[in-house]
Amino acid sequence: AGHFPYAVQEGVLPAGAGGGGTGAGPDSKLAVTCACGRGGYAVGEWKHIITIGREYGAGGRSVAKRISDLLGIPHYDKEIIQLAAEKTGLSEEMIRGTEEHESGKTLLNWFLPSGSASAYDQAILAQAQTIRKIAEQGPCVIVGRGADYILRDFPHLVNVFLYAEKKDKVRYAMETYGESYEQAVRRVRHADAARESYYHYLTKAKWGDLKNYHLTLNSSPVGKQACAEIILQYASRKNG
């Protein structure tokens, strides 16, 4: 499926991709004073940025929202698509498609005239720039889109990967979309394959590999709320 050919760490864009470079440093972050402390894990200044990679149906968005509610910090998932579209002028549909389609099967349909970045690459770059801009504003929770890799030079970063049992993922698809079991199985398989392809294209690393994350959690046995609390417990004890 190839690999993502541009440097996103400093927000470098090729000609025709739009936007400008972004930098990041520890002085650009804001400390959020959290007064919740309901579980004894979030008292004082919260400095962490939490990234959540996730399998389809594992609850990434729900866990991110729970953490956001507990800490009073923003969380971003599909909002990244809208922000990236507003910044670059690319369509939301184009940007959304990067993580919903397997890149190896779609690249031939995404290329622009010779010498320009493909639309697929432009869409990935737009999201990468948006993620870095978001992180520069201070503590937050970011779901998916290789944020763990894009923000790898940021301090106070906690990278999490959520997975779940197949039966729970299939049940989620059936309940959410009213699909048959067979349709739900295909949806789960396609969604996870697309996310794996996106991550590998961007990072050349294996999606879901334990070595790429600080914490991996199976949300099936304990539920989404418990996952959020475990993540906060871990982050509050992490040095740096």
Side-chain angles (χ1 to χ4, degrees):
H3 68 278
F4 188 64
Y6 306 108
V8 297
Q9 183 169 339
E10 300 302 328
V12 178
L13 286 172
T22 63
D27 292 337
S28 66
K29 314 255 185 331
L30 302 176
V32 172
T33 300
C34 177
C36 58
R38 286 187 285 272
Y41 44 69
V43 177
E45 289 190 335
W46 186 268
K47 299 179 180 180
H48 296 293
I49 295 168
I50 299 172
T51 73
I52 301 179
R54 75 286 186 230
E55 290 184 349
Y56 179 87
R61 185 173 180 85
S62 298
V63 172
K65 185 179 186 306
R66 177 62 175 166
I67 294 172
S68 173
D69 290 343
L70 286 170
L71 293 179
I73 62 175
H75 71 283
Y76 301 89
D77 183 4
K78 296 179 181 179
E79 297 81 4
I80 294 170
I81 296 171
Q82 180 181 356
L83 292 170
E86 291 174 354
K87 175 179 176 59
T88 63
L90 296 172
S91 72
E92 290 188 24
E93 181 180 6
M94 177 187 294
I95 295 172
R96 184 179 301 109
T98 57
E99 207 185 32
E100 295 181 358
H101 301 287
E102 296 176 60
S103 61
K105 295 183 178 180
T106 61
L107 280 177
L108 291 177
N109 299 323
W110 287 77
F111 273 98
L112 296 177
S114 178
S116 298
S118 72
Y120 186 85
D121 287 339
Q122 290 188 48
I124 291 178
L125 281 163
Q127 291 176 94
Q129 282 196 312
T130 299
I131 287 169
R132 289 185 67 85
K133 279 291 188 183
I134 288 169
E136 286 173 359
Q137 303 308 308
C140 59
V141 188
I142 302 175
V143 179
R145 295 164 186 85
D148 59 295
Y149 175 81
I150 292 166
L151 301 178
R152 64 194 183 279
D153 61 317
F154 276 62
H156 310 300
L157 189 67
V158 177
N159 298 322
V160 178
F161 188 84
L162 296 178
Y163 63 101
E165 304 298 333
K166 178 181 177 181
K167 60 181 177 59
D168 294 324
K169 294 160 62 174
V170 171
R171 182 171 63 247
Y172 170 80
M174 292 174 67
E175 293 175 351
T176 302
Y177 297 100
E179 296 178 331
S180 68
Y181 177 83
E182 291 75 16
Q183 290 173 320
V185 168
R186 286 195 295 271
R187 178 181 291 274
V188 169
R189 184 170 58 243
H190 173 79
D192 281 345
R195 291 175 183 182
E196 181 177 16
S197 179
Y198 177 99
Y199 190 84
H200 180 72
Y201 186 72
L202 174 67
T203 70
K204 299 182 71 174
K206 181 175 175 58
W207 180 68
D209 189 326
L210 296 175
K211 296 188 294 292
N212 297 329
Y213 309 94
H214 297 105
L215 185 65
T216 60
L217 292 170
N218 183 347
S219 62
S220 289
V222 297
K224 301 176 181 64
Q225 179 169 329
C227 283
E229 294 171 355
I230 291 168
I231 291 167
L232 290 178
Q233 289 277 0
Y234 179 92
S236 67
R237 288 162 171 76
K238 179 179 178 290
N239 295 321

